[in-house]
Amino acid sequence: MYVYEHKLRPRYAETDQMGYVYYGNYAAFYEESRTEMLRHNGMTYRELEEMGVMMPVLEMHTKYIQPAKYDDLLTIKVILREKPSVRIKFEYEVHNEEGTLLNTGMTQLVFVDMERNRPCKPPQAFMDKIERHFD
C-alpha cells in the first residue's frame, strides 16, 4: 500500500454562496492530488502520454462528510492499496488543518494505448517507479 499527502487551499472561486467548497470541485482536487503523487514518484501524465498511454477515468465516487471552506488548508491523502495493472484505483481522504475527515473518494482509471485506443498494461517505466511501494 502507498499513501501520498498533498496540501491545497481552496480558492474563493471554488466555494458556493455559503462559503463551502462547491461539491463539483472535489473531482479537480482528486485529479491535482493524484497528478502530484505521480510527479512525486518521478512520472508525469505528460510523460505517460508521450509514451503513447493515456489514463481516462472509468469511475468516481465521493462521500461528503463535512464541508471544506474557503482558505482551509486541506490535506488530501491519495491511497493506492493495490499494485496497478490495466486499471489503477486511487482512494482519497480529505482532512482539514484540525485533522477532521471532510470527504472520502475513489477514482478508477484505465491505461489506454493511444494508438490502438485499447486498454493496455502500464508502461514499464511507470511500474519501475511505483512498484517499490508494493514490496
Side-chain angles (χ1 to χ4, degrees), residues 4-125:
Y4 172 77
E5 293 187 2
H6 178 66
K7 296 194 182 294
L8 64 82
R9 284 188 192 277
R11 299 170 296 180
Y12 187 77
E14 295 169 325
T15 63
D16 60 19
Q17 191 173 6
M18 297 178 290
Y20 297 158
V21 171
Y22 178 70
Y23 75 92
N25 287 316
Y26 285 87
F29 292 172
Y30 296 166
E31 179 181 12
E32 178 180 332
S33 300
R34 73 175 173 264
T35 298
E36 291 305 315
M37 188 241 13
L38 292 174
R39 186 183 314 280
H40 179 77
N41 281 281
M43 180 70 58
T44 65
Y45 271 123
R46 180 182 304 239
E47 290 170 323
L48 285 166
E49 289 175 352
E50 288 169 355
M51 292 178 204
V53 175
M54 62 181 168
M55 296 172 62
V57 174
L58 290 176
E59 185 177 354
M60 184 180 107
H61 298 275
T62 192
K63 181 178 180 180
Y64 306 98
I65 301 164
Q66 289 190 29
K69 299 176 189 120
Y70 165 67
D71 207 36
D72 280 351
L73 180 60
L74 303 179
T75 299
I76 302 175
K77 290 184 181 180
V78 182
I79 304 158
L80 291 176
R81 295 190 189 280
E82 300 172 356
K83 187 164 52 168
S85 59
V86 173
R87 295 179 181 193
I88 184 168
K89 182 178 178 180
F90 297 92
E91 295 178 29
Y92 309 93
E93 293 180 2
V94 180
H95 298 261
N96 64 14
E97 289 177 89
E98 291 77 37
T100 303
L101 181 63
L102 306 177
N103 176 281
T104 60
M106 182 280 294
T107 55
Q108 185 166 219
L109 287 73
V110 63
F111 293 92
V112 173
D113 180 313
M114 293 168 69
E115 188 174 303
R116 295 175 48 235
N117 200 30
R118 303 287 303 158
C120 65
K121 291 185 178 179
Q124 190 58 48

